Amino acid sequence: MGTADASSKDVAFSLAEKKPKVVFVLGGPGSGKGTQCANIVQHFGYTHLSAGDLLRAERDSGSENGNMIQNMMNEGKIVPSEVTIKLLEKAMLESGNDKFLIDGFPRNEENRAAFEAIGRDDDNIETIRKRFQVFLESSLPVIEYYKAKGKVREIDATKSIEEVFEAVKVIFSPKDEEVKKCCAIL
Ligand code: UDP
Ligand code: MG
């Protein structure tokens, strides 16, 4: 089954799956980060992402976080990691590239730990593998039990949400008197 919209978890997962190469470009203001990033982009095909620029663009977009970002920046404070990381993830995914120079981020330990937490791709993939194995070993026999009794209605869940729901509707439609007797396994 799919999900209604791309949650930040989905975005993080699809990003982690790509195993992107991420280089943090760190250094004091005026140290020439931007200039060298431009050179690296030209010569090595990286995509340059400035966390500060992404935050300014988000502030100017009139989003609900706009005022908060403005206030934090005016005070020279660090915007909550969640906000900055979401912008970085989105930009990384939209770029289509798999090599990034992230400039001006992470700015503190919390930034760093939060960014690393989204990159635990192996954990996620491994967990999904384990869950699928448990499904095959333990849950499939339950479906087989009901199938043998003619109580299973199967649906192809690889299609779009709308198409899958069309099939669900058929099963639950009052015309199908059998729905009272059976259970549907999606
Ligand atoms: N900022 C932030 N988190 C980041 C990057 C920037 O909160 O990951 C905010 C912070 O308030 C900072 C301001 O954006 O003072 C400007 O950052 P930028 O990197 O653009 O400044 P630079 O160091 O390049 O002058
Ligand atoms: Mg800068």
Side-chain angles (χ1 to χ4, degrees):
M1 302 290 286
T3 48
D5 64 335
S7 71
S8 63
K9 242 188 185 154
D10 292 333
V11 171
F13 184 67
S14 47
L15 195 62
E17 249 182 326
K18 285 187 173 177
K19 294 192 185 294
K21 191 180 196 57
V22 173
V23 176
F24 292 136
V25 182
L26 306 169
S31 59
K33 298 190 295 286
T35 309
Q36 291 311 321
C37 280
N39 284 337
I40 298 165
V41 165
Q42 282 236 306
H43 286 76
F44 299 103
Y46 279 71
T47 293
H48 175 214
L49 298 174
S50 154
D53 287 352
L54 288 171
L55 286 168
R56 277 181 285 274
E58 178 70 3
R59 176 198 64 192
D60 297 340
S61 74
S63 86
E64 54 176 330
N65 283 326
N67 279 342
M68 181 274 290
I69 294 172
Q70 176 68 59
N71 293 337
M72 300 294 276
M73 283 177 128
N74 282 348
E75 302 280 318
K77 290 183 181 160
I78 296 168
V79 173
S81 301
E82 192 194 316
V83 172
T84 313
I85 289 173
K86 222 174 249 177
L87 296 173
L88 286 167
E89 283 178 333
K90 191 163 170 277
M92 287 167 83
L93 212 59
E94 281 172 0
S95 76
N97 201 351
D98 62 352
K99 295 191 286 188
F100 302 94
L101 297 173
I102 297 187
D103 164 9
F105 176 97
R107 273 179 134 80
N108 59 14
E109 274 293 293
E110 202 264 329
N111 269 179
R112 180 197 58 71
F115 188 88
E116 284 192 3
I118 64 154
R120 290 199 207 113
D121 51 330
D122 291 341
D123 284 5
N124 291 337
I125 289 163
E126 206 37 54
T127 300
I128 286 170
R129 268 199 202 104
K130 282 180 189 153
R131 284 173 54 186
F132 196 71
Q133 198 55 37
V134 170
F135 171 78
L136 293 180
E137 287 165 6
S138 311
S139 312
L140 214 47
V142 174
I143 297 175
E144 292 302 332
Y145 171 88
Y146 284 114
K147 204 173 191 173
K149 291 181 177 294
K151 291 191 170 192
V152 169
R153 298 294 174 273
E154 289 180 78
I155 286 166
D156 178 0
T158 60
K159 297 184 178 161
S160 72
I161 292 169
E162 293 75 20
E163 283 170 304
V164 171
F165 189 56
E166 283 309 311
V168 169
K169 275 201 290 199
V170 171
I171 288 176
F172 281 86
S173 135
K175 270 177 261 158
D176 184 355
E177 290 300 316
E178 276 193 80
V179 76
K180 291 170 193 146
K181 290 184 265 166
C182 79
C183 53
I185 310 291
L186 300 184

